[in-house]
Amino acid sequence: MWRATVLTLFPEMFPGPLGVSLMGKALNDQLWALEVRDIRAHGIGRHRTVDDSPSGGGPGMVMRADVAAVAIDAARAGETESRPLIYLSPRGKPLTQARVRELAAGPGVLLFCGRFEGLDERAIEARGMEEISLGDFVLAGGEIAGMALIEAAVRLLPGVMGEEASKTEESFEEGLLEYPQFTRPQSFEGRDIPPVLSSGNHAQIARWRRAEAERLTKERRPDLMTLYENRPRSARRPGSSAKSPPDGRKK
Ligand SMILES: C[S@@+](CC[C@H](N)C(=O)[O-])C[C@H]1O[C@@H](n2cnc3c(N)ncnc32)[C@H](O)[C@@H]1O
């Protein structure tokens, strides 16, 4: 079973959103498992201290390397499969759908959630932690970033989502953002569903969706579009072209 172990100073934050809807049902159905470990249980002295002032001065506090290392070693004790040890950090590599897919295909993850000014660099090095960021912004702690990573991976696990196809047509799965979605009513505040989507012509619908996905990616994420355009031609779907006009787009 895919397992997520979370090391945190705030275990009461879990399962939180991971306990409801799709995630919660999958957790109850034992399609994945969640273990939450309190870093403070490994704190030093009577006060279970986990942090200290930054070497060299400056504001805030830093999580101690020795406490973090003991907490990680205790979480790993008796492990038969080695799971990636990830430190959620704004300095990390941005999380991508490709990395999420790799993590979902493995045995699970061990996540370390930072707080304060972050974790002593020596713990990151000594335990070979992979640093992953949720984006170019600063959160108060790694917990919400960890939940996001877990949710992104768990929804890809077999049996968690109803329609397997929906996973492959989503944003990022083919290097593009997803095409626009519509549903009833046919007309909403003077805006109609693009006629091509009601045509019943599946080839035309697929071409329209592809063209819209390319248009949106080009407009909103030129960085992704460049990567997509430089992919080997064999990796693209037939009929794919960044230049083809979307048949049913509203002018
Ligand atoms: C207030 S932040 C520390 C920020 C750090 N002083 C810096 O400037 O890079 C505390 C913790 O929140 C988590 N965190 C903050 N922003 C994050 C992000 N964008 N992605 C992942 N984790 C983040 C990390 O675990 C971090 O150790």
Side-chain angles (χ1 to χ4, degrees):
M1 193 197 309
W2 197 88
R3 287 191 311 127
T5 297
V6 181
L7 296 169
T8 171
L9 287 172
F10 297 98
E12 64 274 22
M13 287 178 76
F14 292 85
L18 300 174
V20 298
S21 187
L22 207 65
M23 299 296 121
K25 185 175 181 309
L27 194 55
N28 279 335
D29 293 347
Q30 300 189 348
L31 297 176
W32 69 289
L34 175 66
E35 180 196 16
V36 183
R37 301 179 69 102
D38 189 353
I39 298 170
R40 199 170 291 282
H42 304 278
I44 290 165
R46 204 157 49 90
H47 297 294
R48 298 259 170 239
T49 304
V50 296
D51 56 341
D52 213 324
S53 46
S55 304
M61 300 295 272
V62 175
M63 293 178 84
R64 290 178 59 128
D66 49 358
V67 172
V70 172
I72 291 165
D73 295 347
R76 275 176 161 170
E79 286 253 298
T80 46
E81 289 172 302
S82 139
R83 291 176 291 161
L85 170 61
I86 293 167
Y87 171 46
L88 284 316
S89 157
R91 288 185 339 190
K93 267 196 185 169
L95 185 60
T96 61
Q97 188 66 11
R99 184 67 186 122
V100 168
R101 239 182 283 125
E102 285 171 3
L103 293 172
V109 289
L110 217 155
L111 304 180
F112 189 97
C113 304
R115 281 273 158 176
F116 319 124
E117 292 307 319
L119 176 58
D120 186 310
E121 191 68 22
R122 293 167 298 173
I124 301 172
E125 281 173 22
R127 291 298 175 271
M129 298 167 90
E130 172 184 351
E131 290 187 67
I132 290 186
S133 167
L134 202 60
D136 291 343
F137 44 81
V138 180
L139 297 164
E143 287 77 9
I144 288 176
M147 286 177 193
L149 184 152
I150 292 172
E151 180 165 311
V154 167
R155 64 190 288 284
L156 298 183
L157 299 178
V160 173
M161 283 207 295
E163 272 206 54
E164 298 297 310
S166 67
K167 284 186 238 173
T168 56
E169 293 204 357
E170 279 175 333
S171 290
F172 311 114
E173 284 299 343
E174 290 189 44
L176 294 173
L177 302 180
E178 195 185 56
Y179 47 80
Q181 297 277 11
F182 299 87
T183 186
R184 283 189 283 247
Q186 176 61 37
S187 186
F188 167 71
E189 295 185 354
R191 295 160 193 269
D192 292 340
I193 294 175
V196 62
L197 298 179
S198 315
S199 68
N201 184 330
H202 296 298
Q204 240 181 45
I205 292 170
R207 270 199 303 279
W208 181 85
R209 285 180 165 165
R210 168 66 49 166
E212 282 290 271
E214 291 177 351
R215 176 183 68 79
L216 284 174
T217 310
K218 205 171 186 176
E219 271 174 27
R220 297 180 185 179
R221 293 293 302 274
D223 56 322
L224 288 182
M225 198 61 199
T226 304
L227 284 177
Y228 174 76
E229 283 173 338
N230 291 332
R231 282 187 347 163
R233 292 211 77 77
S234 57
R236 299 191 201 176
R237 279 198 178 162
S240 155
S241 156
K243 294 188 185 76
S244 56
D247 311 342
R249 184 147 36 108
K250 209 175 160 172
K251 296 272 165 7

